[in-house]
Amino acid sequence: MEEEIGLSRGLSMWHLMMMGMGMMIGAGVFVATGISIGFAGPGGVLVAFALNGLVALFSAMSFAELASALPTAGGAYTYIDEAFKGLIGFISGWLNWFALTVAGSLYAITFATYTVFLLEGTKWFSSLGVESGLVIKALALLIIAVFVVINYIGVSETGNIENLITIGQMSTLLFIGAFAVFYTILHPERLSHFSNFVPNGWGKVLAAMGFTYVGFEGYEVIAHAGEEAFDPKESIPKAILYSVVAVTTTYLLFAFAAIVGADVSPENLTAWFAFHGAVGMGEAIKDLMPYGGLLITLAAIFSSTSALNATIYSSTRVLFAISRDGKLPRFISKIHPVRRVPHIALALSSIIIVTVALALPIEDVAASADIVFLLIFLLVNAAVIKIRRERGDELDYGFLMPYFPFIPLIAIALQGVLSIWIFDVSPTAWFVTLGWVILGLALSSRYKGAREAKEALRREVVFGEWLPEGYKVLVAISNPRNAPYLARVGETIARARKGELALVSVVTVPEQTPLEEAHRFAGPALELLRRVREGLGGDVNVRGVLYYAHSVYRGILSAIKNKKADLLVLGWRGRSRLGYIFGSNLDRLVEAPCDVLLVKPGRGEEVKRILFPTAGGPHSLLAAEIARIFALEKGASVTVLYVDREGIERKRIERRLEPVMRILNGARGTLKVVRSDDPKRTILSECRDHDLVIMGASESSLFARSLFGELPVEVAKECEKTVFLVKKDLGRRSWLRRWFL
């Protein structure tokens, strides 16, 4: 008995929301809010928070959709890599690692800044005579060291403490916001602080949006818990969306409290916040309420330490995953033999966190984190479009965003604009980010071989060689009952075209199982490929390949792209699953970027009479060519059937079908015209007197769910004889059809 290994599912929606809100309410809001009021003004920061909440909600829908369909532990890196692979997948992981380490630096500096803010009012601190900036750097280094040691030791029983910290954060900020509302009711003159709503123009609002976006980062950590959540397809999307709404509301109240709390004249408000910078929020809350300074300082300290621990943990795991995937040196993914933690990845992440914390001012650190998170979320929004378009029918979604693809497209545009606008706040942040991308590109070229080695694990050549030139027929082998016949069909066409034949079988494993494990289940597929090859004539070059994939569709599509196939031969049992025309995989594969021959085997293989119903069109030309090949191969005759529903003159029908008849020249092709208002019954009646039926896709199927059209599919379902359905690849036209329909 084989034992199934998986993570324990113990996280409810409430736990997931606590995780997301705990990450979102980190240190960014305590630092970025005051700085943003200093250049965007009181109204500007409220508008920035509200719009950021909307942008975050759009991206949250993308995360929710992807997490519901791919509930694995990889998060953003997994989604982007799954959609784009290659260089973009690597750069996303590289940026994700950098974003988490920079965020860790921001949280460490926030902890140190607010600790000094709390101590500066004491006589003890004043007596030391030490420069505050030096103390901030020292405390940041100390707190980083503490949590690096905690992560090295492997302390894991912190879930309840994290929940308590999150509840404390939310309660504190909501209490401050509620107090500010009550205070404003008693002192309505404080609303005059909003009189100069956007003092420096709306461009600064965009800068504030980009600069405060780090405060809306964190909900994506919920997606990482896909393998540990109760009912992940429902609980994860809800937790992501609810946490974004809750945190946005909290931020708006918090910013409102800071604006009405500052004890300064309305005309000097913006300058006052600009002067106080990172601690402007603390100074404003201290003016607003008794013990406000202590309250906001404790909230900032707890938030920053909680988020620092989470980012050290997450950044280490992301770097570990990139190395394990072969995209960075393998030694980085080594596990400590005693502590069972990726200690080298932890050390490298810690070095980046310390370097950024000591080398850059807090404004530049916050801006760097903003830029990288914006770019990552932009890629996730692009990934959700690509994955839905290419794999939507094969995935089981628990949540589908409304107004697709407009919501992710809007999010992409806004995130691109915001990331560029951050240059107005911190040019240094952009230079650092670009430098990091360039370093990643250099490393990417260095480890290209490692990535190719990993790609090689996705397929295995069982027999044969693939010639560089010539017509290539690819036959998908899966069902032992029809596989030999499909292979002979492919061999016949390859022989007539003087081409070669590829027999492809796909071994699938679940999404959460690494593809490297798929070879363990390859035995039956290997045996089938070898048995099918033995039944072939031997006069055509044959290659057998196994593909390892998370779905049959992806495996076959990879084979088409790798082999540059001209024709794909697929088997169909003649039945439809609920909600599909042919089946979940076949409905997608008939849209493959090559010609497609869908075979529904019938009774008997002897072919003496071929029926070819057609009304003309590009698909019928390919169908006629296949009919000619089998007619000459089997010594059969071809009946070209035209069902006339309009009483058209025979000469006009002959002119319409002249290209088809020209192709059939020499294959004993005859035209038969039948006047009937029921084409389906007419064709089925003719099928009884023939051995093989070949039909091209219907040109009237542009708005049908199947590219083959309703009539050919219905005939194929009811006909007891072997039926070939043929679709010619129409290039850009097919691409447009797949995209819009």
Side-chain angles (χ1 to χ4, degrees):
M1 182 177 177
E2 187 173 329
E3 181 181 0
E4 183 177 350
I5 300 174
L7 298 175
S8 173
R9 295 195 180 275
L11 297 176
S12 66
M13 189 180 74
W14 173 255
H15 289 107
L16 296 171
M17 284 185 64
M18 290 298 103
M19 289 171 55
M21 291 188 296
M23 280 293 291
M24 292 174 75
I25 305 179
V29 67
F30 298 97
V31 169
T33 304
I35 296 175
S36 296
I37 297 173
F39 63 78
V45 78
L46 292 181
V47 173
F49 275 145
L51 293 178
N52 266 347
L54 185 63
V55 176
L57 189 63
F58 286 174
S59 294
M61 288 183 186
S62 294
F63 272 98
E65 178 169 317
L66 291 171
S68 75
L70 305 170
T72 62
Y77 167 54
T78 297
Y79 305 146
I80 298 169
D81 190 56
E82 193 68 41
F84 299 106
K85 307 292 183 187
L87 182 61
I88 295 179
F90 167 71
I91 290 297
S92 72
W94 182 247
L95 284 173
N96 198 9
W97 176 48
F98 185 60
L100 289 166
T101 55
V102 172
S105 303
L106 173 62
Y107 301 149
I109 296 175
T110 301
F111 166 84
T113 299
Y114 270 87
T115 300
V116 171
F117 173 73
L118 180 64
L119 295 176
E120 277 182 330
T122 65
K123 294 181 180 179
W124 171 81
F125 186 81
S126 301
S127 65
L128 293 177
V130 183
E131 184 183 351
S132 296
L134 184 61
V135 177
I136 289 173
K137 296 295 184 183
L139 284 174
L141 183 59
L142 176 63
I143 197 64
I144 292 170
V146 168
F147 281 102
V148 167
V149 171
I150 290 174
N151 276 267
Y152 176 74
I153 293 173
V155 176
S156 58
E157 300 299 325
T158 59
N160 291 330
I161 296 175
E162 291 284 346
N163 284 345
L164 288 174
I165 290 175
T166 300
I167 293 171
Q169 292 169 338
M170 292 290 292
S171 300
T172 301
L173 299 186
L174 287 172
F175 173 75
I176 292 173
F179 183 90
V181 172
F182 179 73
Y183 181 84
T184 306
I185 293 173
L186 297 179
H187 301 277
E189 67 277 3
R190 286 299 180 102
L191 291 176
S192 63
H193 284 188
F194 292 96
S195 58
N196 199 2
F197 200 71
V198 184
N200 297 319
W202 289 98
K204 294 296 182 181
V205 175
L206 288 174
M209 286 179 66
F211 189 68
T212 59
Y213 198 80
V214 70
F216 293 83
E217 176 276 326
Y219 58 81
E220 73 278 4
V221 75
I222 298 174
H224 297 183
E227 296 174 46
E228 300 170 83
F230 288 121
D231 192 11
K233 290 185 179 297
E234 181 176 349
S235 61
I236 287 182
K238 286 183 178 179
I240 290 175
L241 299 176
Y242 292 168
S243 62
V244 170
V245 173
V247 168
T248 302
T249 303
T250 303
Y251 284 172
L252 287 169
L253 283 172
F254 191 47
F256 176 81
I259 294 165
V260 300
D263 189 12
V264 64
S265 62
E267 59 271 12
N268 294 324
L269 180 73
T270 303
W272 185 88
F273 274 101
F275 173 77
H276 287 288
V279 295
M281 175 64 70
E283 293 287 353
I285 302 303
K286 185 167 67 174
D287 291 344
L288 174 67
M289 58 195 301
Y291 303 104
L294 176 63
L295 199 62
I296 194 66
T297 299
L298 293 178
I301 289 173
F302 281 121
S303 297
S304 57
T305 52
S306 171
L308 175 60
N309 182 46
T311 49
I312 291 176
Y313 177 90
S314 298
S315 64
T316 299
R317 269 60 187 177
V318 169
L319 181 59
F320 167 79
I322 298 172
S323 171
R324 184 184 59 185
D325 289 348
K327 299 175 182 178
L328 285 175
R330 291 285 185 182
F331 75 88
I332 296 176
S333 58
K334 285 184 178 179
I335 303 294
H336 193 279
V338 177
R339 298 296 178 187
R340 304 290 181 181
V341 296
H343 57 295
I344 297 177
L346 174 61
L348 292 174
S349 294
S350 305
I351 290 171
I352 300 297
I353 293 172
V354 169
T355 302
V356 174
L358 296 182
L360 296 177
I362 191 168
E363 292 86 352
D364 295 327
V365 176
S368 297
D370 284 312
I371 291 171
V372 184
F373 278 122
L374 281 165
L375 294 177
I376 290 172
F377 289 0
L378 184 152
L379 289 173
V380 169
N381 282 300
V384 76
I385 297 175
K386 193 168 190 291
I387 289 175
R388 172 105 70 102
R389 292 296 188 192
E390 293 184 353
R391 298 174 50 202
D393 288 344
E394 69 180 86
L395 294 175
D396 182 16
Y397 287 95
F399 170 82
L400 285 172
M401 75 175 74
Y403 306 112
F404 180 88
F406 301 109
I407 283 179
L409 287 174
I410 292 170
I412 288 170
L414 290 174
Q415 285 158 346
V417 170
L418 294 181
S419 62
I420 294 171
W421 220 276
I422 292 176
F423 189 87
D424 184 63
V425 180
S426 173
T428 301
W430 257 110
F431 294 141
V432 170
T433 303
L434 290 175
W436 188 257
V437 171
I438 292 171
L439 178 60
L441 292 173
L443 288 173
S444 173
S445 62
R446 170 65 179 83
Y447 289 95
K448 182 179 179 182
R451 292 197 307 280
E452 290 174 347
K454 187 190 175 192
E455 280 297 312
L457 294 173
R458 299 179 184 270
R459 61 181 180 271
E460 177 182 346
V461 178
V462 181
F463 51 77
E465 295 295 332
W466 199 246
L467 303 178
E469 302 294 337
Y471 189 82
K472 294 175 173 56
V473 178
L474 191 152
V475 179
I477 300 296
S478 61
N479 187 344
R481 286 178 293 182
N482 65 20
Y485 180 69
L486 293 179
R488 288 194 291 275
V489 169
E491 182 185 38
T492 299
I493 297 173
R495 184 189 302 116
R497 286 293 195 97
K498 295 181 172 50
E500 49 191 337
L501 176 66
L503 304 177
V504 174
S505 184
V506 180
V507 180
T508 61
V509 291
E511 290 287 349
Q512 59 267 33
T513 302
L515 290 180
E516 291 84 350
E517 298 297 316
H519 71 277
R520 295 168 48 194
F521 311 101
L526 279 168
E527 181 182 350
L528 180 61
L529 278 176
R530 294 190 176 109
R531 181 154 49 88
V532 169
R533 184 196 186 193
E534 291 172 0
L536 296 176
D539 54 348
V540 171
N541 180 52
V542 182
R543 180 180 175 91
V545 186
L546 279 181
Y547 274 79
Y548 302 123
H550 290 303
S551 74
V552 172
Y553 165 72
R554 273 186 280 173
I556 297 298
L557 194 63
S558 295
I560 292 170
K561 292 178 179 178
N562 289 333
K563 306 307 176 192
K564 295 181 173 59
D566 296 292
L567 175 68
L568 171 65
V569 179
L570 299 166
W572 179 42
R573 289 180 291 181
R575 299 193 299 270
S576 300
R577 287 176 52 193
L578 183 63
Y580 297 98
I581 298 297
F582 305 110
S584 57
N585 286 306
L586 286 179
D587 278 10
R588 299 290 290 172
L589 286 171
V590 296
E591 303 179 44
C594 65
D595 296 339
V596 176
L597 172 59
L598 192 64
V599 177
K600 195 212 80 171
R603 289 183 290 183
E605 291 189 20
E606 184 180 14
V607 177
K608 293 300 181 182
R609 300 189 66 191
I610 299 173
L611 179 65
F612 177 27
T614 183
H619 300 293
S620 66
L621 297 179
L622 177 60
E625 189 172 354
I626 292 176
R628 181 177 186 275
I629 289 172
F630 279 84
L632 295 176
E633 175 77 15
K634 306 292 185 180
S637 62
V638 180
T639 300
V640 180
L641 176 65
Y642 186 93
V643 180
D644 179 17
R645 289 180 290 183
E646 302 172 357
I648 304 174
E649 292 182 12
R650 183 180 177 92
K651 289 185 178 180
R652 287 181 58 192
I653 296 173
E654 290 175 350
R655 284 198 299 272
R656 178 181 295 181
L657 298 184
E658 184 180 354
V660 169
M661 301 305 296
R662 190 183 305 119
I663 292 174
L664 289 171
N665 184 33
R668 291 196 292 156
T670 58
L671 174 62
K672 181 176 183 178
V673 179
V674 177
R675 177 75 176 88
S676 173
D677 294 326
D678 191 347
K680 176 182 171 182
R681 288 295 115 200
T682 302
I683 296 172
L684 287 173
S685 176
E686 292 288 335
C687 287
R688 300 189 188 101
D689 300 325
H690 294 79
D691 308 304
L692 172 64
V693 181
I694 300 177
M695 303 181 71
S698 172
E699 277 300 283
S700 63
S701 66
L702 179 61
F703 296 103
R705 290 189 61 234
S706 166
L707 289 182
F708 282 95
E710 183 178 355
L711 178 62
V713 173
E714 292 303 314
V715 169
K717 284 181 180 179
E718 297 187 28
C719 181
E720 295 181 353
K721 305 298 177 66
T722 297
V723 179
F724 289 179
L725 298 179
V726 182
K727 186 220 77 174
K728 182 176 180 59
D729 181 36
L730 299 179
R732 179 174 295 276
R733 184 177 175 185
S734 291
W735 180 87
L736 288 171
R737 184 183 307 199
R738 290 194 296 270
W739 178 264
F740 287 108
L741 301 182

